[in-house]
Amino acid sequence: MRKGLLLTTASVALLTTLTACGNSSSGSASSDSGGKKSKIGVILPDSKSSARWETADRPFLTKAFKAAGVDYDIQNAQGDKQAFQTIADQMISSGVNVLVIVNLDSGTGKAVLDKAKAQGVATIDYDRLTLGGSAQYYVSFDNTAVGKLQGEGLGKCLADKKVKKPVIAELNGSPTDNNATLFADGYNGVLDPKYASGDYVKGPNQSVPDWDNAQAGTIFEQMLTSQSRIGGVLAANDGLGNAAIAVLRKNHRNGQVPVTGQDATVQGLQNILAGDQCMTVYKAVKKEADATSELAVALAKGQKGKTTASVQDPEGKRDVPAVLLAPVAIYKDNVKDVVNDGFVTKAELCTGKYADLCTESGIQ
């Protein structure tokens, strides 16, 4: 059920905090050809479902906007749909001429995008496509390819362990996130033929509301209780994967059951180095942020955006001009590539017990 429209005292306090956390450039803003100041608003979804939004996306976008000399405001809705809409209203009222959003769900996202469109504000869906929405552009990774890499990765890890007819549990992402649907399309395209042939046994399969890691742990514990023979876990991101690993560890089965992930978080990479997670999918967020900032800056200055592809919005029945980037599968032998790319640092990754594991994996 949706939350009511009236703000509670706690919500007001949250919004005050969110506003204070939003970044704005301190220099003078550039102007478009019509003499209007260029200002870009960005709404990030949360910091709970994945660390990337605050540790990677925000700093990369900030650096790009500063380099372009445009005024900007980046805020995080912290998973609150009401806060998301309020932040959007504030940004539109403050004069942004480009609004970039990572929606919390398509319903909330559509309402925000439609309001921006009515005010003549250019719009970009960042990372997640808003189904039925009106975003003029979409920038993301090829999310079906992400899922395919996860399915293939799980298969590789099961083959390496010589597991026969494993029961596969699937921890899917949030049912309100279109990306989660695309990831599932990708990995089910790999797993379904295996189920049909009898090579794998289809086990418990459940979506995790709002990508909530705590709920994922509860869900996976129930899965393991109902089906003790689980031999592989397709977890849609590193947070869900870590939740499953914690349950497996409690049952002394961590490292024995391959678990997938996504986002190449520090925690996920450490789990891979330790042998508790079999793989993750690295999405070079800097490339995504740079592509988005380049598009947003062009629009803010009254120029036409450049795209490389288009994606179909099945609800809106329209093709959305897009920039789609390629993901990369990460296993223990190429964790170093993520460090070499600057996405995580050796200091972050190679702490405590992971120092020797980093050395063994050739991380410099």
Side-chain angles (χ1 to χ4, degrees), residues 183-267:
F183 302 147
D185 287 345
Y187 54 72
N188 285 327
V190 176
L191 297 178
D192 285 347
K194 296 286 189 180
Y195 297 145
S197 67
D199 290 337
Y200 298 169
V201 177
K202 189 175 180 66
N205 183 323
Q206 193 167 336
S207 295
V208 179
D210 301 322
W211 293 93
D212 187 277
N213 298 332
Q215 289 193 62
T218 301
I219 289 169
F220 184 70
E221 192 147 29
Q222 293 168 346
M223 286 180 170
L224 198 60
T225 299
S226 67
Q227 177 51 270
S228 61
R229 290 182 53 247
I230 288 173
V233 182
L234 196 302
N237 77 357
D238 288 346
L240 305 188
N242 188 64
I245 289 167
V247 175
L248 290 169
R249 184 177 293 113
K250 189 166 68 172
N251 288 272
H252 309 292
R253 296 185 62 192
N254 57 304
Q256 301 172 27
V257 178
V259 179
T260 66
Q262 177 187 175
D263 290 337
T265 62
V266 170
Q267 184 179 64

Side-chain angles (χ1 to χ4, degrees), residues 2 43 81 84-85 88-89 92 99-119 121 123-126 128-136 176 178 313-318:
R2 290 177 180 269
I43 310 179
K81 296 175 188 177
F84 193 100
Q85 292 181 315
D89 289 343
I92 293 170
L99 182 64
V100 180
I101 71 166
V102 187
N103 72 58
L104 290 172
D105 67 355
S106 286
T108 306
K110 175 176 169 31
V112 165
L113 291 169
D114 288 349
K115 185 175 290 186
K117 181 180 179 181
Q119 296 295 319
V121 176
T123 51
I124 300 172
D125 268 333
Y126 181 49
R128 299 173 182 170
L129 181 66
T130 301
L131 298 180
S134 55
Q136 294 167 256
T176 60
N178 183 59
D313 174 0
E315 287 191 16
K317 294 181 172 54
R318 68 186 186 110

Side-chain angles (χ1 to χ4, degrees), residues 138 307-313 318-324:
Y138 172 53
T307 58
T308 59
S310 67
V311 295
Q312 231 267 319
D313 174 0
R318 68 186 186 110
D319 291 325
V320 184
V323 177
L324 297 180

Side-chain angles (χ1 to χ4, degrees), residues 24-364:
S24 296
S25 63
S26 56
S28 59
S30 60
S31 300
D32 62 25
S33 56
K36 293 181 179 179
K37 288 185 177 180
S38 301
K39 184 176 181 181
I40 300 167
V42 180
I43 310 179
L44 300 175
D46 57 45
S47 55
K48 186 178 180 181
S49 66
S50 177
R52 62 164 282 192
W53 302 116
E54 289 297 331
T55 62
D57 295 83
R58 182 191 285 271
F60 287 142
L61 289 167
T62 297
K63 184 176 180 180
F65 292 146
K66 283 183 176 179
V70 295
D71 195 8
Y72 65 93
D73 183 9
I74 303 175
Q75 296 192 45
N76 193 315
Q78 295 298 355
D80 188 318
K81 296 175 188 177
Q82 187 173 322
F84 193 100
Q85 292 181 315
T86 302
I87 291 169
D89 289 343
Q90 292 171 344
M91 287 182 172
I92 293 170
S93 297
S94 75
V96 300
N97 56 352
V98 179
L99 182 64
V100 180
I101 71 166
V102 187
N103 72 58
L104 290 172
D105 67 355
S106 286
T108 306
K110 175 176 169 31
V112 165
L113 291 169
D114 288 349
K115 185 175 290 186
K117 181 180 179 181
Q119 296 295 319
V121 176
T123 51
I124 300 172
D125 268 333
Y126 181 49
D127 199 72
R128 299 173 182 170
L129 181 66
T130 301
L131 298 180
S134 55
Q136 294 167 256
Y137 298 95
Y138 172 53
V139 182
S140 188
F141 287 83
D142 183 334
N143 292 308
T144 303
V146 170
K148 184 179 179 184
L149 290 177
Q150 290 175 313
E152 292 172 345
L154 182 60
K156 177 183 183 301
C157 297
L158 289 166
D160 289 347
K161 289 183 176 293
K162 297 180 171 57
V163 181
K164 302 296 184 183
K165 297 186 181 299
V167 176
I168 306 299
E170 296 184 31
L171 272 176
N172 310 300
S174 174
T176 60
D177 182 355
N178 183 59
N179 280 4
T181 301
L182 297 175
F183 302 147
D185 287 345
Y187 54 72
N188 285 327
V190 176
L191 297 178
D192 285 347
K194 296 286 189 180
Y195 297 145
S197 67
D199 290 337
Y200 298 169
V201 177
K202 189 175 180 66
N205 183 323
Q206 193 167 336
S207 295
V208 179
D210 301 322
W211 293 93
D212 187 277
N213 298 332
Q215 289 193 62
T218 301
I219 289 169
F220 184 70
E221 192 147 29
Q222 293 168 346
M223 286 180 170
L224 198 60
T225 299
S226 67
Q227 177 51 270
S228 61
R229 290 182 53 247
I230 288 173
V233 182
L234 196 302
N237 77 357
D238 288 346
L240 305 188
N242 188 64
I245 289 167
V247 175
L248 290 169
R249 184 177 293 113
K250 189 166 68 172
N251 288 272
H252 309 292
R253 296 185 62 192
N254 57 304
Q256 301 172 27
V257 178
V259 179
T260 66
Q262 177 187 175
D263 290 337
T265 62
V266 170
Q267 184 179 64
L269 295 172
Q270 288 176 337
N271 283 336
I272 291 173
L273 291 172
D276 290 338
Q277 184 170 321
C278 88
M279 60 85 67
T280 187
V281 178
Y282 172 45
K283 300 184 296 188
V285 175
K286 184 178 187 303
K287 293 181 180 179
E288 186 181 23
D290 286 349
T292 301
S293 60
E294 183 179 346
L295 183 58
V297 169
L299 295 174
K301 294 182 177 180
Q303 302 165 3
K304 186 176 180 180
K306 296 179 181 179
T307 58
T308 59
S310 67
V311 295
Q312 231 267 319
D313 174 0
E315 287 191 16
K317 294 181 172 54
R318 68 186 186 110
D319 291 325
V320 184
V323 177
L324 297 180
L325 304 166
V328 178
I330 299 296
Y331 302 88
K332 189 172 185 177
D333 62 1
N334 65 337
V335 166
K336 60 181 177 292
D337 292 348
V338 183
V339 179
N340 293 341
D341 207 30
F343 184 70
V344 301
T345 67
K346 181 180 178 181
E348 291 174 304
L349 183 63
C350 305
T351 59
K353 66 179 182 181
Y354 300 104
D356 290 342
L357 294 173
C358 282
T359 301
E360 292 171 12
S361 294
I363 295 171
Q364 302 298 323

